[in-house]
């Protein structure tokens, strides 16, 4: 962006208007001011095209929210930062839903204003070293794609607003990582963060896991035990796979969300807690609400703010970064030198649909590092046989009508047949001495064994054939 970026400043307080205008002009921004929402809308209506709008949330006449809506109708791509007071929590959340880029709490320092403006105007796109934010030994956040940069901005906003957040997306997309980032950026960062996987704990034990129990509450309860909500007091709890929670327990959770209090199993006394609740699920929400799998009142209580996490196939810019990061960390973990990520391997990974998302990519790097064979690793990304001789491609399965995927599958199938024939020929020439055949094919012994299983090659009397089994 040029140094002479145009900023529209909207505030009904003359003193605040002069103060911010002075701060902006010191940095050579062109500043246009307005004292009401109506005046700001009129300026844009007349042709003003600001690079950024700084706007007070509470103003007479049409307030900041209404002005935000109207400005985005007139100039859909306009970037708006709201200026709010500490008590404007609900309005800040509404502003975020309406498309506000960020908000600053009054009073603020020039450094805070500079940081927000630089981010909005693209002056610090390298905010996150190497595009990665380390959250813990195993968790990190990557923001290389536009969609994940947007989520990073949303998370920065919602972290400071103490409301529930619901994360939706396919399994393995990084919903837990986003939860940890929210916690890290929130005022609760120095407190406990706990995750409870509602699908991993049996339904009859989940209630005691969350809320604890008193001695004698059930057979085997020899002593009292606090639940996750007590252990997480003043902190943040992530309820992963919330859609798997039994409906009866959902009602008790709703009570905790509303009143921040509950009772242990076997107890009549009430325990008060201050816990921020985050929830994540990969279920189809409308379907779950329709069949009563998810309580409607709980859903509307949880989704004070919703983050839709895109699958990895929709943010492929991050694949090279993830590959390098996983390789570096796993090489250290397994005390091995990191393996190279060749252009061929990177292209194969970019072409693959990753139905298991980041979790699948993580396991892919782990296998590559352990086996040490690039051709074997790349072959894993090819369509697999479904047992009937047909080729199964996860990318095509995501969208059966995608004819381009079908053509790719045909090409891969032809390649696989040629590869299987070459392996069969090498095995015949070496009388099925697999070590000699591997040397002939210039691949590792492990890779050859894998491909023999993959293509169902079997030694038979007088001849060899390619069977359908893997």
């Amino acid at each position: 962006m040029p140094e002479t970026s145009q900023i529209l400043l909207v505030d009904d307080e003359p003193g605040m208007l002069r103060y911010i205008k002075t701060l902006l002009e010191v940095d050579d921004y062109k500043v246009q001011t307005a004292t009401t929402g109506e005046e700001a809308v009129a300026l844009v209506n007349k042709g003003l095209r600001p690079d950024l709008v700084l706007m007070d949330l509470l103003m007479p006449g049409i307030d900041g929210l209404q002005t935000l809506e109207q400005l985005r109708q007139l100039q859909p791509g306009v970037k708006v930062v709201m200026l709010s007071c500490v008590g404007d929590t609900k309005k800040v959340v509404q502003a975020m839903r309406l498309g506000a880029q960020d908000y600053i709490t009054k009073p603020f320092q020039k450094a805070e204003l500079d940081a927000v403006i630089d981010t909005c105007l693209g002056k610090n796109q390298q905010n996150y070293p190497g595009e990665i934010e380390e959250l813990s030994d195993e968790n990190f956040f990557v923001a290389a794609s536009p969609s994940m940069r947007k989520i990073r901005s949303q998370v920065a906003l919602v972290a400071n607003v103490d409301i529930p957040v619901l994360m939706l997306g396919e399994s393995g997309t990084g919903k837990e990582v986003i939860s940890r980032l929210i916690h890290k950026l929130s005022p609760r960062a120095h407190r406990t963060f706990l995750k409870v996987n509602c699908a991993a704990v049996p339904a009859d034990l989940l209630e005691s896991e969350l809320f604890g129990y008193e001695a004698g509450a059930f057979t085997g309860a020899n002593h009292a035990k606090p639940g996750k909500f007590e252990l997480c007091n003043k902190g943040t709890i992530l309820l992963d796979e919330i859609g798997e929670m039994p409906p009866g327990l959902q009602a008790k959770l709703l009570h905790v969300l509303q009143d921040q209090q509950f009772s242990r199993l076997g107890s009549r006394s009430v325990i008060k807690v201050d816990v921020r609740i985050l929830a994540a699920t990969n279920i189809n929400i409308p379907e779950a609400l329709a069949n009563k799998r998810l309580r409607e009142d709980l859903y509307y209580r949880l989704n004070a703010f919703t983050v839709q996490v895109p699958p990895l196939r929709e943010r492929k810019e991050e694949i090279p970064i993830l590959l390098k990061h996983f390789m570096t960390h796993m090489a250290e973990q397994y005390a091995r030198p990191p393996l190279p990520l060749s252009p061929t391997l990177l292209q194969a990974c970019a072409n693959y649909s990753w139905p298991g998302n980041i979790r699948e990519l993580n396991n892919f790097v782990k296998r590559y590092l352990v086996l040490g064979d690039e051709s074997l690793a790349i072959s894993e990304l090819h369509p697999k046989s479904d047992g009937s001789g047909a080729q199964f491609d996860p990318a095509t399965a995501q969208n059966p009508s995608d004819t381009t995927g079908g053509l790719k599958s045909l090409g891969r199938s032809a390649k696989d047949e040629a590869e299987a024939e070459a392996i069969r020929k090498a095995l015949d020439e070496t009388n099925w001495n697999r070590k000699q055949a591997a040397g002939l094919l210039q691949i590792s012994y492990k890779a050859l064994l894998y491909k023999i299983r993959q293509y169902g090659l079997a030694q038979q009397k007088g001849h060899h054939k390619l069977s359908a089994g893997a």
Side-chain angles (χ1 to χ4, degrees):
M1 297 295 295
E3 289 186 8
T4 54
S5 297
Q6 173 81 64
I7 296 179
L8 173 58
L9 176 59
V10 190
D11 200 310
D12 63 307
E13 297 179 29
M16 182 60 70
L17 202 66
R18 286 193 301 271
Y19 170 68
I20 301 175
K21 186 173 187 288
T22 301
L23 294 181
L24 296 173
E25 289 178 339
V26 164
D27 292 328
D28 294 326
Y29 291 112
K30 290 193 295 184
V31 184
Q32 177 71 56
T33 61
T35 55
T36 65
E38 291 90 343
E39 187 181 349
V41 171
L43 286 169
V44 174
N45 245 327
K46 290 176 182 176
L48 180 68
R49 289 294 177 264
D51 299 299
L52 177 65
V53 179
L54 298 175
M55 181 163 56
D56 192 22
L57 195 54
L58 299 176
M59 295 185 293
I62 62 169
D63 65 8
L65 294 177
Q66 293 169 302
T67 307
L68 171 61
E69 281 190 281
Q70 293 187 33
L71 289 178
R72 288 185 65 81
Q73 286 173 2
L74 293 169
Q75 190 181 340
V78 67
K79 295 178 179 179
V80 181
V81 173
M82 307 305 295
L83 308 176
S84 74
C85 296
V86 178
D88 296 337
T89 301
K90 290 184 179 178
K91 287 187 177 291
V92 167
V93 174
Q94 281 182 271
M96 290 158 57
R97 286 176 168 167
L98 292 172
Q101 294 284 119
D102 209 331
Y103 78 97
I104 306 176
T105 303
K106 296 178 181 179
F108 52 82
Q109 301 296 319
K110 185 177 186 300
E112 296 176 73
L113 181 65
D114 289 344
V116 169
I117 292 175
D118 286 349
T119 299
C120 290
L121 297 181
K123 294 186 177 182
N124 56 350
Q125 288 300 308
Q126 301 302 320
N127 256 355
Y128 325 121
E131 303 290 357
I132 288 177
E133 280 183 274
E134 297 282 356
L135 303 176
S136 65
D137 290 341
E138 296 182 356
N139 293 281
F140 59 93
F141 182 84
V142 178
S145 63
S147 58
M148 293 307 287
R149 286 191 184 280
K150 182 178 179 181
I151 285 177
R152 178 58 175 76
S153 297
Q154 290 177 332
V155 165
L157 291 172
V158 81
N160 289 311
V161 185
D162 210 0
I163 57 171
V165 179
L166 178 64
M167 279 145 293
L168 306 177
E170 295 177 11
S171 180
T173 50
K175 297 186 290 293
E176 180 185 343
V177 168
I178 292 173
S179 300
R180 290 182 180 276
L181 182 59
I182 291 173
H183 176 69
K184 177 188 173 183
L185 298 176
S186 77
R188 299 174 183 263
H190 62 292
R191 300 285 188 171
T192 304
F193 175 92
L194 287 178
K195 171 193 169 186
V196 179
N197 189 326
C198 300
V201 182
D204 54 345
L205 296 179
L206 186 56
E207 183 173 1
S208 61
E209 180 77 8
L210 290 173
F211 304 113
Y213 55 83
E214 296 291 342
F218 50 83
T219 304
N222 299 321
H223 55 82
K225 180 184 175 183
K228 291 291 193 288
F229 274 96
E230 280 179 81
L231 297 173
C232 206
N233 192 28
K234 304 294 184 184
T236 306
I237 191 166
L238 168 62
L239 301 176
D240 199 11
E241 303 299 347
I242 188 74
E244 303 302 322
M245 181 179 285
L249 192 51
Q250 289 181 28
K252 189 167 183 177
L253 175 61
L254 180 65
H255 180 63
V256 178
L257 275 162
Q258 290 172 336
D259 305 325
Q260 293 275 290
Q261 60 184 35
F262 61 90
S263 297
R264 288 182 181 179
L265 284 176
S267 173
R268 292 185 178 180
S269 61
V270 172
I271 298 172
K272 287 186 173 292
V273 289
D274 173 17
V275 177
R276 182 176 192 175
I277 298 177
L278 308 177
T281 183
N282 59 8
I283 63 173
N284 182 311
I285 294 292
E287 184 181 300
L289 293 173
N291 61 26
K292 309 297 184 185
R293 182 179 171 188
L294 181 65
R295 287 179 62 112
E296 192 171 342
D297 47 5
L298 176 62
Y299 167 67
Y300 288 118
R301 194 76 180 177
L302 285 173
N303 82 332
F305 191 81
T306 301
V307 177
Q308 185 72 50
V309 189
L312 186 57
R313 62 183 172 274
E314 293 178 10
R315 44 185 170 118
K316 292 194 171 184
E317 304 95 320
E318 287 158 14
I319 290 175
I321 298 170
L322 290 166
L323 285 169
K324 183 178 180 181
H325 185 81
F326 284 136
M327 179 60 73
T328 301
H329 276 246
M330 286 182 197
E332 186 178 330
Q333 181 181 346
Y334 293 111
R336 292 181 176 222
L339 297 180
L341 301 171
S342 71
T344 304
L345 180 67
L346 290 173
Q347 188 59 52
C349 289
N351 292 339
Y352 185 58
S353 65
W354 300 106
N357 294 294
I358 297 173
R359 192 174 293 129
E360 182 184 5
L361 187 142
N362 179 42
N363 290 330
F364 168 80
V365 174
K366 187 180 296 183
R367 287 193 298 275
Y368 175 38
L369 181 64
V370 171
L371 296 176
D373 191 299
E374 183 181 284
S375 60
L376 172 59
I378 292 174
S379 72
E380 287 186 26
L381 306 181
H382 290 167
K384 304 296 188 293
S385 171
D386 64 2
S388 64
Q391 294 292 319
F392 172 75
D393 183 0
T396 309
Q398 292 289 339
N399 186 2
S401 64
D402 188 346
T403 54
T404 303
L407 290 173
K408 285 181 180 177
S409 295
L410 287 174
R412 289 170 180 166
S413 178
K415 177 185 177 298
D416 288 348
E417 288 177 15
E419 189 172 66
E421 178 60 26
I423 293 170
R424 185 196 60 75
K425 186 178 178 182
L427 288 166
D428 283 346
E429 288 179 8
T430 59
N431 197 25
W432 271 74
N433 183 314
R434 285 166 290 192
K435 286 189 177 179
Q436 289 181 16
L440 201 62
L441 293 164
Q442 296 184 343
I443 62 174
S444 72
Y445 180 66
K446 285 183 180 178
L448 178 62
L449 295 181
Y450 176 86
K451 288 181 181 293
I452 289 172
R453 289 195 302 271
Q454 179 185 1
Y455 297 126
L457 294 170
Q459 185 176 14
Q460 295 187 2
K461 292 180 180 178
H463 70 283
H464 311 291
K465 69 176 184 176
L466 177 61
S467 65

